Amino acid sequence: MTATHVPGVPVIEDGVLISTNPATGAEAGRVPVADEKAVVVAVERAHEAGLWWQSLGFDGRKDRILRWRSLIVQRFEELAQLTSLETGKPNADAIVEAVAAVEHLDWAGRNAKRVLGPRKVRTRLLLAEHAGHLEYQPYGVVGVIGPWNYPIVTPVGPISGALAAGNAVVFKPSEYTPIVGQWLVDTFAEIVPEHPVLQAVHGLGDVGAALCRAGTNKMAFTGSTATAKKVMAACAENLIPVVIEAGGKDALIVDADADVTAAAEAAVWGSMTNAGQTCIGIERVYAVAPVYDALVAEIVAKAGKLRTGEEIGPITMPKQIDIIRDHIDDALAKGGKAVLGGADAVQPPYVSPTVLVDVPADSREIRDETFGPTLTVTKVADADEAIRLANDTPYGLGGAVFGKKNAIRIARRLRSGMVAVNGTLTFVGMGNLPFGGVGDSGFGRIHGEDGLREFARAKAITVRRAKSLLPSMTFERTPAQVSQIVKAVRLLYGRRS
Ligand code: NDP
């Protein structure tokens, strides 16, 4: 590292991106920066590689994907150390993240043939002389743009679905975590040395923008809502479909019959893990009046034990620190109270756990994504009020409910793509469940069956197997045949039930 490098701030020198640790400034590694032409060339190479990858078929791809999965598991420690170095997150968090990524690779590799394989569909009476076939064909080249907060699992979600479906992938990692991104690409190349089926292009946001215009057939974006809009605008120029995994402001609801200790533990983990830099992190808690005081006391006791530099790593992206400080200050200025942490919690590059109560609904800590180890706890009269306030946000990514009798009913009424009942963030670890949001949190899904279909085009094929008794789609039809068709349709569909 040269003396000019600020910890955690990526530097480009002579066409090379230098990545550093956000706490110490130690260099994590260097990668070449791609210019616009290099991005186009990468996508062109991917189109050729994709044809070869597709020709391996579901079984051939499964074999390679599962071997890559095993290689990652064998090198867990190396990957975790690199991730900790580049993001600052504790080693245990990096390992848990890698475990989740492996789960998604395994599930996508094993299930792509079942979910996407060709199948016959049942014939309908009106076109009984035709057989129906359904196939899911890969798009060709999928561009993946990833964030820095979970540099392993966030890109591996779309990458696993895209590869298993038969696509080649060009991946633009965040400028804050290029080294982990390159590690993923390099280990994949050890298993698939023949063709560049998975490539990385590095650089700042302009490289992501170039990728949107470089001839990919689909884009998978994970990042902020603001950047998602730019990605969509760029993709709109060529009608490139996109899947958007954007930010959130997830709520946890605690009902009267909840296990308060378990709810407090989940609230602290859900809000403070990865120093709160989690898209599905809990940022707001709504607790019904009978359990509110006990819950706040337990949250404060548990969060108060967390130490910066130990369980709470540094804020990876230095400019996020100003946003976290602004949210805390705004909440306090508007009448909120800090029962833990508060105005002094921000000590760059760290923010110590902060729990705020009585925070007005119009404060930025309630309305905007904070992305730090802060949590608001709000007292509500009942579950209905909790649901109303939880849903009063343009975001709709995940959420959590603690309770017994009504917990699932409450979960269904939350306007979000995912909810954990008596747990938090758990849905991200199940390879067979879809992941994605609504509203400002995005659309489309990664993971699970929906996440595989996201990276394939449904193709319908009909095959004539007999002459038509009542031909309708031909100029050869007679008026008598048309009347018979109408009679048949009345018989089939004209009755009430
Ligand atoms: P950003 O939106 O700043 O960046 C995301 C990616 O987009 C980065 O690789 C970035 O490159 C790239 N990029 C920037 N500008 C453009 C552009 N004009 N065109 C194309 N790509 C561009 O998000 P962060 O990296 O700060 O990630 C944090 C955000 O991600 C939070 O809002 C978080 O909630 C969300 N997130 C959502 C998840 C989900 O699954 N829903 C999961 C994880 C995070 P560069 O870094 O070089 O600027």
Side-chain angles (χ1 to χ4, degrees):
M1 191 188 75
T2 65
T4 52
H5 296 171
V6 178
V9 177
V11 176
I12 292 181
E13 275 178 11
D14 302 327
V16 171
L17 177 60
I18 305 167
S19 175
T20 60
N21 178 274
T24 64
E27 186 175 318
R30 298 174 178 227
V31 285
V33 172
D35 60 16
E36 217 174 300
K37 190 161 164 252
V39 177
V40 171
V41 169
V43 173
E44 281 169 357
R45 294 175 73 213
H47 278 291
E48 274 186 38
L51 292 176
W52 172 80
W53 180 244
Q54 197 181 338
S55 76
L56 293 185
F58 288 109
D59 292 333
R61 293 194 296 269
K62 172 182 167 185
D63 172 63
R64 302 295 183 107
I65 289 170
L66 296 188
R67 279 164 55 199
W68 185 33
R69 171 214 61 187
S70 301
L71 184 68
I72 293 175
V73 173
Q74 284 154 22
R75 299 209 197 144
F76 255 173
E77 285 77 15
E78 182 188 324
L79 176 58
Q81 268 171 21
L82 199 57
T83 307
S84 292
L85 176 61
E86 199 166 36
T87 64
K89 71 172 69 182
N91 193 262
D93 284 353
I95 288 186
V96 171
E97 186 189 340
V99 169
V102 160
E103 159 74 5
H104 295 299
L105 276 177
D106 183 78
W107 195 89
R110 287 184 191 283
N111 288 280
K113 187 175 183 176
R114 178 181 62 78
V115 177
L116 302 177
R119 72 209 58 186
K120 283 190 176 169
V121 298
R122 277 183 63 181
T123 301
R124 303 279 295 165
L125 268 178
L126 273 183
L127 283 165
E129 69 277 17
H130 294 268
H133 298 259
L134 171 60
E135 297 190 7
Y136 288 93
Q137 300 183 338
Y139 277 90
V141 177
V142 172
V144 172
I145 298 179
W148 47 266
N149 59 337
Y150 286 88
I152 312 169
V153 73
T154 52
V156 165
I159 287 172
S160 57
L163 289 177
N167 304 280
V169 172
V170 180
F171 168 35
K172 151 72 176 83
S174 165
E175 70 201 48
Y176 292 91
T177 52
I179 308 304
V180 173
Q182 191 59 48
W183 189 95
L184 292 171
V185 169
D186 290 345
T187 50
F188 182 81
E190 287 183 36
I191 303 297
V192 184
E194 295 95 332
H195 294 276
V197 173
L198 174 62
Q199 301 171 74
V201 286
H202 296 287
L204 309 184
D206 60 317
V207 176
L211 184 57
C212 297
R213 297 186 170 96
T216 59
N217 304 107
K218 175 138 191 173
M219 291 297 300
F221 172 81
T222 308
S224 63
T225 306
T227 309
K229 291 176 186 176
K230 292 184 194 164
V231 166
M232 284 184 73
C235 289
E237 291 169 16
N238 297 302
L239 278 191
I240 304 298
V242 288
V243 46
I244 297 288
E245 298 290 346
K249 190 75 195 172
D250 290 0
L252 184 156
I253 292 177
V254 187
D255 206 3
D257 56 358
D259 175 338
V260 172
T261 302
E265 188 187 328
V268 173
W269 162 258
S271 61
M272 313 277 169
T273 184
N274 204 29
Q277 304 163 108
T278 305
C279 55
I280 46 171
I282 299 297
E283 300 212 348
R284 302 170 293 151
V285 173
Y286 296 101
V288 298
V291 297
Y292 174 82
D293 289 338
L295 182 77
V296 171
E298 290 223 35
I299 287 176
V300 169
K302 288 179 194 301
K305 288 187 193 145
L306 303 176
R307 294 147 301 170
T308 53
E310 301 285 335
E311 297 88 354
I312 306 289
I315 300 305
T316 305
M317 192 170 63
K319 61 185 181 217
Q320 190 69 25
I321 290 175
D322 294 334
I323 297 172
I324 300 168
R325 186 190 287 112
D326 170 67
H327 284 199
I328 296 173
D329 290 349
D330 178 63
L332 297 177
K334 288 189 168 125
K337 290 195 238 2
V339 287
L340 182 71
D344 299 334
V346 182
Q347 304 286 341
Y350 294 100
V351 177
S352 52
T354 290
V355 180
L356 301 159
V357 296
D358 300 335
V359 179
D362 65 347
S363 64
R364 292 196 276 282
E365 182 73 40
I366 296 278
R367 304 227 62 85
D368 301 338
E369 190 179 43
T370 307
F371 234 52
T374 73
L375 185 65
T376 63
V377 191
T378 303
K379 192 194 289 186
V380 291
D382 53 25
D384 282 344
E385 187 185 4
I387 294 165
R388 185 176 58 73
L389 292 174
N391 287 343
D392 184 18
T393 169
Y395 291 112
L397 194 52
V401 181
F402 271 76
K404 295 189 182 77
K405 201 162 132 261
N406 291 319
I408 294 213
R409 276 190 284 271
I410 295 169
R412 289 198 180 106
R413 288 173 62 197
L414 281 178
R415 179 182 163 274
S416 69
M418 303 149 301
V419 184
V421 172
N422 294 328
T424 185
L425 321 189
T426 38
F427 37 75
V428 71
M430 287 176 70
N432 50 354
L433 275 179
F435 185 100
V438 304
D440 279 7
S441 294
F443 53 82
R445 294 293 180 264
I446 56 171
H447 306 169
E449 295 191 3
D450 300 272
L452 283 170
R453 288 196 197 98
E454 191 73 50
F455 297 106
R457 294 186 179 107
K459 174 126 179 182
I461 300 175
T462 62
V463 179
R464 177 183 293 282
R465 50 187 191 180
K467 201 164 177 293
S468 300
L469 289 175
L470 291 176
S472 59
M473 295 180 181
T474 167
F475 290 118
E476 308 294 315
R477 69 197 167 197
T478 63
Q481 285 169 328
V482 173
S483 320
Q484 279 175 317
I485 290 168
V486 171
K487 269 189 205 154
V489 171
R490 286 212 170 110
L491 200 64
L492 281 174
Y493 306 132
R495 284 166 297 169
R496 261 165 190 261
S497 59

